[in-house]
Amino acid sequence: MTTRDLTMAMIFFLQTTVGLLGNFSVFYYYLFLYLTGYKLRCTDLILKYLTVANLLVIFSKGIPQTMASFGLTHFLDDFGCKLVFFVHRVGRDVAIGTTCLLTVFQVIMISPGDSRWAQLKIKAPKYVGTFNIFCWVLNIVRSIVVPFHLTDKRNNINITKKIDQDYCYAISYDKIAESFYVPLLLSHDGFCLGLMLWASGSMVFILHSHKQRVQYIRRNNLSPRSSPESRATRSILVLAFFFLSLWVLSSIFHMCLSVFNNSSLWLRNTSTLLTTCFPTLSPYILMRHDPRVSTLYSAWIRKQNPLNLP
């Protein structure tokens, strides 16, 4: 193994480890809230589903890619390849759909009582679980076709277009069907992305309007600290920009991998890093902007040091 290959393997290993720690921390966090009697928010159910989807992506993409980077390229049989890529596709699409659902739900819940969302604001919490289940079922059905285009590396079938995925082969039987599948995949992602950006923009507008209405209350406040509305607006913009950037870059690399039969190792590795970047970092962003995390951490510190000793 060359130094470059070892470096790439360590990057995948580090990314996978950080992703697992972050998502299991979120899972433990919600379990702790439940066991200690904290009242969970409606958005917490969406975030729990997002955590499950993130873990599926890391287990089905991050771990196999890490093993392949260390030289283990024949550890999956034909069924294993089909299952791993099917789970990855479901986890990836559910993560995108769940993030979209989260932003739409948030804009409904923070909308003013006299807005057109007033009725939905009352009904939306009742259907959060239903929409989450629908998202899972829809993406499972959409991903049924994925296993038919994967095979293990020990299968020496004679296929014109066979894309090396390091530990499996992606195969193409029909160029016409493939020309429809890729745009369909990107249109699904683009729809979710557009809806997410619309919801994020609406939240920014609502928070800005609220800030203007209560401006007179803070006119004598000379503190340089930004208002809660401004901090919330920045967090929304960070999440939206983070999602948009990764989606655009990931789509570009995905199209390149679909076009070129013998793509370079650098192209495949970069595409995989981008694919697992959102599930790896999103739990840390969510915990960073959840005030309950800092509250629980402060309570834990006081418990460890009841006398407030340095």
Side-chain angles (χ1 to χ4, degrees), residues 60-61 76-89 143-155 157 159 161-173 181 254:
S60 61
K61 193 68 174 179
L76 289 176
D77 57 8
D78 186 65
F79 175 78
C81 282
K82 296 180 186 300
L83 178 63
V84 164
F85 276 82
F86 173 76
V87 172
H88 168 251
R89 177 58 59 185
S143 303
I144 289 179
V145 68
V146 172
F148 295 100
H149 295 272
L150 274 304
T151 187
D152 64 304
K153 302 199 74 171
R154 290 170 290 188
N155 191 350
I157 56 176
I159 296 296
K161 187 172 183 179
K162 187 166 59 174
I163 303 174
D164 188 6
Q165 299 289 345
D166 292 329
Y167 47 91
C168 293
Y169 280 128
I171 55 181
S172 176
Y173 296 103
Y181 175 73
H254 182 80

Side-chain angles (χ1 to χ4, degrees), residues 256-269:
C256 291
L257 289 173
S258 300
V259 171
F260 300 109
N261 287 357
N262 297 317
S263 56
S264 65
L265 180 61
W266 176 86
L267 189 65
R268 297 197 304 270
N269 288 338

